[in-house]
Amino acid sequence: MPPTKVDPKDEILFTIDLNKLLTPMAILVAGTLIGGTLFLSYRSNGDVASPTQPSVQGVADVPEPTEQVQFTDTVGSIDDDPINGDVDSAKVAIIEFSDFECPYCQRHFSDTYYQIVDQYIDTGEVIYVFRDYPLGFHPQAKPAALAANCAREQGGDEVYFEYHDILFTNAVSSASKESYVKWAGDLDLNVDEFASCFDSERYFDEIDADEADGLASGVNGTPGFIIGRLSDDGTVSGKLIAGAYPFSEFQKIIEEYLAQ
């Protein structure tokens, strides 16, 4: 059968009004872009604090600063906490409020801490004081702080900082009592006495007091630091540094106070 001929008069014309489609298409594209931006923002800022507004009771990561950073004035105390350095010769003190499970505290330890030790603590100009600030959402932060204090009980401040190094070098998030006891044994501590100390939880009040002092000085995330002039009574008057800033920023503040 030959194909049916269609009379041009009977053809149906389809027209598309592009103007009517442009608005819905624009809305769709805009919605997609906004959704993508929010998703990326959430992924990048889920547990990261900005330099100027660190998250409350959170971890404080800080990018490489691109301009002069302004730090807040504050006052803190070295209290009775472990000290790395010579109190008799030091003019400046650094107080770190920290969490052994915090990834940004670990970053500070691996990237910055030993630069400070080499250039300022070993020379006798600065002391470094470590105070506990375990975050509630890090289940091993407080047990790790307890373990470090139990190590100090046996070996003093020098052993404390050796244990501190072990905690930051290892994955504390998966640690257990057995891990803490083993690391104590690695430092030739009496493991039975260490285990008894750990089980007693007798340093929990001390750890809580450290956190309270940090909050009173304006620390609301980890790592948080106070760098300033050291007074004879253990008071430190200086700047509050919220986050894992690079060594260069610490150096500027340290040099400022050493020059006074």
Side-chain angles (χ1 to χ4, degrees):
M1 176 181 298
T4 304
K5 293 184 178 181
V6 179
D7 189 350
K9 295 180 180 180
D10 296 330
E11 289 182 355
I12 301 174
L13 298 178
F14 291 91
T15 61
I16 299 176
D17 189 342
L18 292 177
N19 290 327
K20 292 182 179 180
L21 288 178
L22 286 176
T23 299
M25 288 175 65
I27 293 173
L28 178 61
V29 171
T32 302
L33 290 174
I34 293 171
T37 301
L38 291 174
F39 174 75
L40 290 175
S41 175
Y42 173 80
R43 287 297 299 267
S44 63
N45 292 301
D47 64 349
V48 176
S50 70
T52 56
Q53 294 180 316
S55 58
V56 175
Q57 291 294 300
V59 290
D61 180 31
V62 177
E64 185 76 27
T66 57
E67 57 185 25
Q68 182 65 37
V69 182
Q70 299 297 321
F71 296 111
T72 305
D73 293 332
T74 192
V75 177
S77 170
I78 66 174
D79 197 40
D80 59 353
D81 288 282
I83 296 171
N84 187 357
D86 187 347
V87 177
D88 294 330
S89 65
K91 297 170 59 178
V92 173
I94 300 173
I95 305 172
E96 177 181 357
F97 288 90
S98 196
D99 173 323
F100 285 112
E101 196 175 349
C102 163
Y104 304 115
C105 302
Q106 187 175 33
R107 177 190 294 177
H108 170 79
F109 168 75
S110 62
D111 294 353
T112 305
Y113 171 68
Y114 269 103
Q115 293 188 71
I116 296 173
V117 171
D118 291 342
Q119 295 197 32
Y120 294 107
I121 295 174
D122 288 348
T123 63
E125 298 173 284
V126 175
I127 61 169
Y128 200 101
V129 182
F130 194 91
R131 304 195 67 179
D132 295 303
Y133 201 104
L135 301 176
F137 54 85
H138 287 158
Q140 285 302 315
K142 200 165 186 177
L146 170 64
N149 279 281
C150 288
R152 184 191 186 201
E153 182 179 282
Q154 285 193 50
D157 288 359
E158 182 178 352
V159 170
Y160 179 92
F161 278 99
E162 290 177 3
Y163 201 87
H164 153 284
D165 292 0
I166 290 174
L167 292 175
F168 275 130
T169 302
N170 290 273
V172 172
S173 59
S174 59
S176 62
K177 175 186 173 181
E178 290 71 22
S179 305
Y180 298 124
V181 172
K182 176 189 178 300
W183 294 329
D186 292 341
L187 295 178
D188 295 325
L189 300 179
N190 184 309
V191 293
D192 292 333
E193 290 182 11
F194 181 91
S196 176
C197 174
F198 188 86
D199 289 339
S200 74
E201 300 181 349
R202 58 176 167 263
Y203 288 103
F204 275 178
D205 287 344
E206 167 68 21
I207 293 167
D208 292 341
D210 279 359
E211 184 175 3
D213 283 355
L215 283 168
S217 295
V219 177
N220 60 4
T222 60
F225 306 87
I226 298 172
I227 303 178
R229 293 284 298 184
L230 175 63
S231 301
D232 291 340
D233 63 357
T235 299
V236 180
S237 302
K239 300 293 185 182
L240 174 64
I241 293 85
Y245 280 90
F247 172 72
S248 59
E249 292 299 321
F250 284 84
Q251 187 173 38
K252 290 175 188 176
I253 301 172
I254 293 170
E255 292 291 344
E256 174 186 339
Y257 285 106
L258 286 176
Q260 292 180 3

